[in-house]
Amino acid sequence: GNQAGYILGFPQVTLFQDYNSSPTHGFNAVFEVGKAYNLTLGVFGKSTLAPGSTLQLSLYYLDALDNRVPVGATTVTYSPAGFPETGSLRFVDYEVNVPTVQAGDAWAGRHMGIQLESTTALAVSTGGNWDFDNVRLTVVPEPAALSLVLLGAAGLLGLRTGRDL
């Protein structure tokens, strides 16, 4: 379709999903040690938003008091040039990147959450909304594992080149 959902551009309007919000059929990803994460989300800001309106995308974990603690975040800022309205919605991909999780990180082994929060100031809120679609969460290969794969591929190429001589 044209959109998976939308969020109003008023202060602190928030959409979030984590394991605690629905443990029986919710989001059950965990920040695993040795892995890095990338959240990509297609966003479209409607022209009813005031220029300078902001939306924060984040990956978080819940602390012992169930507070959402951001691990990585990206702020999207509305401008008519950045989100031109044409015949159809043209989503722009924004990313939140979490570097490789270390054993000593407070979020290591904790359930992961995704949050979209309007951080637009009340003084510039116009009642507009942000549309979003195509949410993707990926595990980024470890640099060491990627190096081993590339080294193996180079070795195979070297064997093949040696045979061709």
Side-chain angles (χ1 to χ4, degrees):
N2 290 333
Q3 73 183 45
Y6 68 91
I7 186 169
L8 295 174
F10 289 106
Q12 298 181 326
V13 173
T14 306
L15 176 66
F16 66 94
Q17 179 70 54
D18 58 42
Y19 182 73
N20 279 5
S21 62
S22 184
T24 56
H25 54 277
F27 184 59
N28 194 16
V30 173
F31 287 107
E32 294 182 43
V33 172
K35 295 186 178 177
Y37 298 90
N38 173 272
L39 170 70
T40 306
L41 179 72
V43 176
F44 184 79
K46 293 231 172 134
S47 62
T48 51
L49 290 165
S53 295
T54 53
L55 176 70
Q56 186 179 61
L57 316 174
S58 62
L59 287 171
Y60 66 89
Y61 73 97
L62 296 172
D63 67 11
L65 299 173
D66 280 343
N67 296 307
R68 292 187 295 267
V69 181
V71 176
T74 296
T75 300
V76 180
T77 303
Y78 175 75
S79 73
F83 297 99
E85 289 203 29
T86 59
S88 61
L89 297 181
R90 194 181 103 224
F91 290 94
V92 178
D93 279 347
Y94 286 87
E95 295 183 349
V96 176
N97 295 297
V98 174
T100 303
V101 178
Q102 306 298 316
D105 290 338
W107 51 90
R110 305 294 291 266
H111 283 97
M112 184 183 304
I114 296 173
Q115 177 173 288
L116 287 69
E117 179 180 7
S118 173
T119 50
T120 301
L122 184 58
V124 296
S125 295
T126 60
N129 62 282
W130 298 93
D131 292 327
F132 60 90
D133 202 351
N134 201 13
V135 179
R136 295 153 279 166
L137 179 65
T138 55
V139 177
V140 180
E142 283 183 75
L146 187 57
S147 296
L148 287 175
V149 168
L150 292 175
L151 185 62
L156 288 174
L157 183 61
L159 284 174
R160 181 178 175 166
T161 304
R163 280 192 227 158
D164 291 341
L165 294 175

